[in-house]
Amino acid sequence: MASASFRRLTLPLIVGLGLAAGAQLAAAAETLKFGIISTESSQNQQPLWKPFLADMSKSLGMKVEPFFATDYAAVIQAMRFNQIDIAWYGNKSAMEAVDRAGGEIFAQTVAEGGKQGYWSLMIVNRDSDLHDIDDVLKNAPDLIFGNGDPNSTSGYLVPGYYVFAKNGIDASTAFKRTLNSSHETNALSVANKQVDVATFNSEGMERLEITAPEKAAQLRVVWKSPLIPSDPLVWRTNLAEDTKTHLRDFFLNYGDSPEEQAVLTPLQWAGFVKSDNDQLLPIRQLAFFKQRAEIAKDEGLSDDDRKEKLAALDTQLEALDMRMKEIKAADTQASDNKTADAKAEQAAVAG
């Protein structure tokens, strides 16, 4: 009897809680949360993104909320715990999101002018006695170094490999002092002579020349990397399929009109192209190369442990190399087919 009374009392509560939870899920489905990595302060980023996110909201028919964080890791963690649905990442942070946060690349930004990527830079103040990267490495014990966010491609991974790992140098111990900051903070710190040398990138330099030309004029580039692939867009793999379809349609068709180009210009983009996780292959290769260099010089490892770890990395590098060759061969074949089709069409017209 008491049990029946308890069921009568609790059933409405359970139903009520179920309805409330359902309402919350429905509300969540009507809101898309967009993660934005912190290349500069959120106060500076918000007005740049607002028109673009408004257009996305109108196209998708749902509210789009930006998620700004103080570092890259927070955006990755937000995706891991389903707190954001889609994000703009750099390649290194995208790799972390794909590997650890259930992310998947679906599109890639196209830079202004149709550039296929951008460059990592090492910068000094224009009055500095440091004139090239050899000067920087030679004088490192006397310098304050502004390194990038550990999840930044251009601010950390790329210089970490090309400048430091390839020269057998540990950036965390080589300098008198090392600080990790955003691109904007690094650039301003060098311009204000608070830091001797820092990582930066070509997109950040172009933006600084617009927003603070007097600060950009205080900078001098002492090193430039090979080309880095343009930034990817990543969504949660467990996002609803219809939402993925709408997102893909929006991004791959955005930027066709002068009005849309005006919205993209402050973001330093011209549009978007289709992409996937294979975009990360050269970034993974860099990460493995850097890891290999660190293991090779690790005196704390026994010879057997070192050989085992290096062999495992070499196997992974070999698999990456094979996949990259497969993609290159497929691209070459597709290009050849397109050329052959064009020639056949021309011949048909001429005939």
Side-chain angles (χ1 to χ4, degrees):
M1 188 73 177
S3 176
S5 298
F6 179 76
R7 284 197 299 271
R8 284 197 300 270
L9 288 170
T10 57
L11 184 58
L13 177 61
I14 293 170
V15 172
L17 289 173
L19 290 173
Q24 288 179 344
L25 287 173
E30 294 171 1
T31 301
L32 187 86
K33 295 187 178 179
F34 196 118
I36 299 168
I37 53 175
S38 56
T39 56
E40 53 186 292
S41 67
S42 60
Q43 293 94 325
N44 289 346
Q45 287 184 301
Q46 284 179 5
L48 303 179
W49 281 89
K50 188 175 180 179
F52 179 72
L53 298 181
D55 281 355
M56 188 188 304
S57 177
K58 183 178 179 180
S59 175
L60 298 179
M62 64 172 67
K63 184 178 180 181
V64 179
E65 292 182 354
F67 175 86
F68 296 97
T70 55
D71 59 25
Y72 289 33
V75 183
I76 297 168
Q77 286 295 91
M79 179 162 282
R80 179 185 175 193
F81 292 105
N82 294 335
Q83 294 171 346
I84 60 173
D85 305 296
I86 178 177
W88 162 59
Y89 290 113
N91 287 282
K92 170 68 163 59
S93 49
M95 183 171 69
E96 298 296 323
V98 167
D99 292 348
R100 297 177 173 83
E104 179 187 23
I105 293 175
F106 72 95
Q108 180 184 26
T109 62
V110 176
E112 288 181 291
K115 294 191 293 287
Q116 297 299 305
Y118 61 108
W119 293 266
S120 171
L121 307 174
M122 293 281 280
I123 55 172
V124 299
N125 190 279
R126 68 178 183 184
D127 297 330
S128 173
D129 292 331
L130 306 170
H131 296 287
D132 55 34
I133 202 62
D134 290 334
D135 285 345
V136 170
L137 298 180
K138 182 172 62 177
N139 293 282
D142 301 318
L143 304 176
I144 298 176
F145 172 47
N147 206 352
D149 185 296
N151 285 306
S152 170
T153 307
S154 59
Y156 192 88
L157 178 62
V158 171
Y161 172 67
Y162 286 105
V163 174
F164 301 115
K166 290 190 75 171
N167 288 292
I169 293 172
D170 183 350
S172 64
T173 60
F175 294 90
K176 180 170 69 175
R177 188 181 177 196
T178 296
L179 307 170
N180 292 89
S181 300
S182 68
H183 299 309
E184 179 189 42
T185 300
N186 276 346
L188 295 178
S189 297
V190 171
N192 295 329
K193 298 185 177 181
Q194 297 165 325
V195 165
D196 298 301
V197 59
T199 63
F200 199 30
N201 68 32
S202 56
E203 292 180 334
M205 183 70 84
E206 290 170 3
R207 174 156 167 71
L208 196 67
E209 287 169 350
I210 296 170
T211 60
E214 72 286 356
K215 297 299 183 182
Q218 297 295 320
L219 305 178
R220 177 158 47 83
V221 175
V222 292
W223 175 81
K224 182 178 179 181
S225 76
L227 186 71
I228 301 169
S230 295
D231 292 339
L233 278 301
V234 178
W235 58 33
R236 289 189 289 108
T237 54
N238 60 354
L239 199 61
E241 289 301 319
D242 60 336
T243 302
K244 288 182 179 180
T245 298
H246 292 320
L247 280 170
R248 186 184 289 109
D249 289 344
F250 170 76
F251 277 94
L252 298 187
N253 292 289
Y254 194 85
D256 292 339
S257 70
E259 292 79 12
E260 291 172 349
Q261 281 298 311
V263 170
L264 289 174
T265 295
L267 296 169
Q268 298 176 278
W269 296 336
F272 307 90
V273 293
K274 185 179 179 181
S275 188
D276 56 37
N277 290 345
D278 280 341
Q279 174 178 331
L280 299 174
L281 291 175
I283 307 303
R284 293 187 185 283
Q285 194 175 46
L286 279 184
F288 282 139
F289 276 136
K290 185 173 182 290
Q291 190 177 348
R292 195 185 193 288
E294 290 170 351
I295 290 173
K297 68 178 182 181
D298 187 350
E299 297 179 356
L301 292 173
S302 68
D303 288 343
D304 287 342
D305 284 345
R306 183 180 293 104
K307 287 179 182 178
E308 182 179 350
K309 290 178 180 295
L310 291 176
L313 282 173
D314 286 341
T315 298
Q316 291 173 300
L317 282 166
E318 185 178 347
L320 283 178
D321 186 56
M322 184 176 300
R323 177 58 183 156
M324 291 172 76
K325 287 178 179 177
E326 289 173 354
I327 293 171
K328 185 176 180 179
D331 288 345
T332 300
Q333 185 62 54
S335 179
D336 289 345
N337 290 343
K338 187 175 180 180
T339 301
D341 289 344
K343 288 181 177 179
E345 185 177 345
Q346 290 174 353
V349 172

